[in-house]
Amino acid sequence: MLTKPSKFIAIIPLFFLVACGDAPKKEAPKTEENVVKTDSIPVEPIPETPEEKEEEAFVLDEENAIDFFFNYAKELKEDKVRLTTSMGSFTIQLYDNVPYHKANFIYLSKKGYFDNTQFHRVVKDFIIQGGNSDDTKTAKKRRLIGRYLLPPDTRKGHKHHRGTISMPSSERHNPHKLASPYEFFIVVTKPGSYHLDGSYTPFGKVIDGMDVVDAINNVPVGDGDWPWQNVYILKAEVL
């Protein structure tokens, strides 16, 4: 967490049992118990086919995430994402030389992860942090995508200038500052929050709509810096 300086039918042939008044013609006493004749409607047999194996859904984890994003980044041509919020929209340009974080943000955007999440932490004149929610659907989306962390990538020359988008570290026991991939923060400090350099990974910057970011930073908040009135990310679009 960031701190200011000082989350078969087996088809069973359908039998109709019909009572028919005549008993079978064989040597048997005609008692009430054996006077019942069974008629059945013939059902054409269904040929047996091998059971189709359901394709297992791909899930990211701490063993496959790096290889996945390494390969995913090589195919990427897009480098911008527009976030439409309940307070307006802004556009982020992602840095090419921070490939894992860039690929992760685009992948999650394309998967629709950020849609209907919130800016759940707003610290006045410091940052706005998004990508979480108190909606159980967000937790479900995380489970379906996978549980993983990203390594820090802090030596590419990028600093936490105003408008920079960066990734917070996981709140788990995390001495190496591995990044929590589902959340992000945007710096609003003028000219920047440079005490964050070296601890968190800048992976892009706001190139349009910084006034919307500032407006979000000015909403009233309660305990834990969560806005009193939810600020939603309605849609993340890769450009």
Side-chain angles (χ1 to χ4, degrees):
M1 179 175 290
L2 305 178
T3 57
K4 190 172 182 181
S6 120
K7 122 124 116 134
F8 52 99
I9 297 173
I11 293 182
I12 302 174
L14 179 60
F15 292 103
F16 292 93
L17 302 181
V18 181
C20 303
D22 299 328
K25 295 181 180 180
K26 60 180 180 180
E27 301 293 329
K30 295 182 180 180
T31 64
E32 186 176 348
E33 288 79 16
N34 59 20
V35 178
V36 177
K37 176 182 176 183
T38 300
D39 292 336
S40 63
I41 300 174
V43 177
E44 187 174 340
I46 295 178
E48 292 185 5
T49 57
E51 290 186 7
E52 295 182 5
K53 293 183 179 180
E54 291 186 7
E55 184 179 348
E56 293 186 6
F58 175 71
V59 176
L60 286 163
D61 57 36
E62 293 185 2
E63 293 183 0
N64 65 22
I66 296 303
D67 286 341
F68 173 80
F69 286 120
F70 175 79
N71 292 313
Y72 190 82
K74 292 192 296 185
E75 304 298 324
L76 281 179
K77 293 181 172 57
E78 307 98 329
D79 66 353
K80 297 180 184 67
V81 176
R82 178 190 296 121
L83 297 181
T84 299
T85 80
S86 52
M87 295 182 64
S89 64
F90 58 90
T91 302
I92 297 163
Q93 181 162 26
L94 305 172
Y95 301 141
D96 292 330
N97 65 346
V98 191
Y100 298 119
H101 293 67
K102 172 187 176 183
N104 173 76
F105 197 75
I106 289 180
Y107 179 73
L108 294 181
S109 295
K110 287 185 174 182
K111 295 285 285 187
Y113 168 74
F114 293 116
D115 299 357
N116 299 313
T117 58
Q118 301 168 24
F119 284 99
H120 59 281
R121 184 167 180 250
V122 172
V123 183
K124 179 74 171 174
D125 296 325
F126 181 35
I127 57 108
I128 63 171
Q129 185 167 330
N132 207 335
S133 172
D134 52 3
D135 190 329
T136 57
K137 291 180 181 178
T138 298
K140 181 179 180 180
K141 284 195 283 188
R142 290 191 182 197
R143 288 195 300 271
L144 292 174
I145 294 170
R147 180 181 175 88
Y148 62 101
L149 297 173
L150 293 177
D153 196 356
T154 61
R155 300 181 180 181
K156 298 298 176 63
H158 303 299
K159 296 183 177 296
H160 286 83
H161 300 299
R162 169 175 161 81
T164 292
I165 181 171
S166 189
M167 199 170 287
S169 59
S170 168
E171 292 184 2
R172 293 188 252 165
H173 178 61
N174 187 15
H176 301 295
K177 295 283 188 179
L178 299 181
S180 176
Y182 292 107
E183 299 184 21
F184 62 90
F185 65 88
I186 299 173
V187 176
V188 300
T189 316
K190 299 177 182 179
S193 289
Y194 304 117
H195 70 289
L196 303 175
D197 295 349
S199 295
Y200 306 94
T201 303
F203 62 96
K205 62 182 179 181
V206 176
I207 59 171
D208 183 57
M210 192 64 194
D211 57 324
V212 175
V213 175
D214 287 333
I216 295 171
N217 187 244
N218 281 303
V219 299
V221 300
D223 294 340
D225 301 316
W226 197 298
W228 282 111
Q229 184 170 351
N230 289 335
V231 181
Y232 287 95
I233 298 174
L234 303 177
K235 189 172 186 59
E237 302 170 270
V238 178
L239 306 178

